[in-house]
Amino acid sequence: ANITAKDVSVEVAGAKGDFGTINADGTTGKMEVATSEELADALASGKVTDITLTADVELSSQVDWDVDGATIDGNGNKITMESGKLSVLGDDVTVKDVEFVSATGESAFQVYNANGVVLENVTATGDEAAVIINGSKVTIPRLKTPTNTGGAASSLIRTVS
């Protein structure tokens, strides 16, 4: 059974915000985020399955997102990592229509020990490696790495097994 909450502020695993539909298993449906705090809360909750960005956001530190079957739709917006990476740990995750930028030149995005991850129309920058894929199975139909300065193809995507 689904419970629909409109214009209601709820608390889910310590995260606050408008989480839309709350499913019987405690996960939520789609959540639109417009601020860094909203995105950090949605990712940290472990309950939000579909996140859509409505504006560019900055995250101040490493974030590990471990939700299976989830989607981040950047909606053409940018996620800037002030330090650390946004790490996808869940299986069957789709990340689409987003730009990841590293403020430090390190990698801003990684997939760690996850299967069935799809990166669709993702742009990533970072001098170390734009994207790190570590022990994962990832499909990349469209990835842009426009300003990487590492000089070699290995600086665009680094795979670690």
Side-chain angles (χ1 to χ4, degrees), residues 23-48:
N23 302 316
D25 65 359
T27 61
T28 67
K30 193 171 194 177
M31 179 178 178
E32 292 186 347
V33 299
T35 68
S36 299
E37 182 178 75
E38 289 174 344
L39 179 59
D41 285 348
L43 293 169
S45 77
K47 300 290 185 182
V48 180

Side-chain angles (χ1 to χ4, degrees), residues 57-143:
V57 295
E58 295 179 358
L59 293 175
S60 60
S61 62
Q62 174 86 21
V63 177
D64 295 331
W65 192 39
D66 191 4
V67 178
D68 293 341
T71 300
I72 292 179
D73 182 349
N75 201 29
N77 292 294
K78 182 186 312 182
I79 297 174
T80 300
M81 297 301 299
E82 295 297 322
S83 70
K85 301 166 187 57
L86 179 96
S87 295
V88 170
L89 308 174
D91 294 332
D92 303 314
V93 170
T94 299
V95 178
K96 64 182 183 178
D97 300 324
V98 66
E99 179 179 357
F100 290 97
V101 176
S102 170
T104 63
E106 299 175 4
S107 300
F109 182 78
Q110 80 171 341
V111 181
Y112 185 80
N113 202 24
N115 294 302
V117 174
V118 177
L119 306 181
E120 182 179 324
N121 196 28
V122 171
T123 301
T125 60
D127 296 338
E128 177 185 301
V131 174
I132 296 176
I133 299 170
N134 190 337
S136 302
K137 292 182 181 178
V138 179
T139 302
I140 307 174
R142 190 166 165 203
L143 173 69

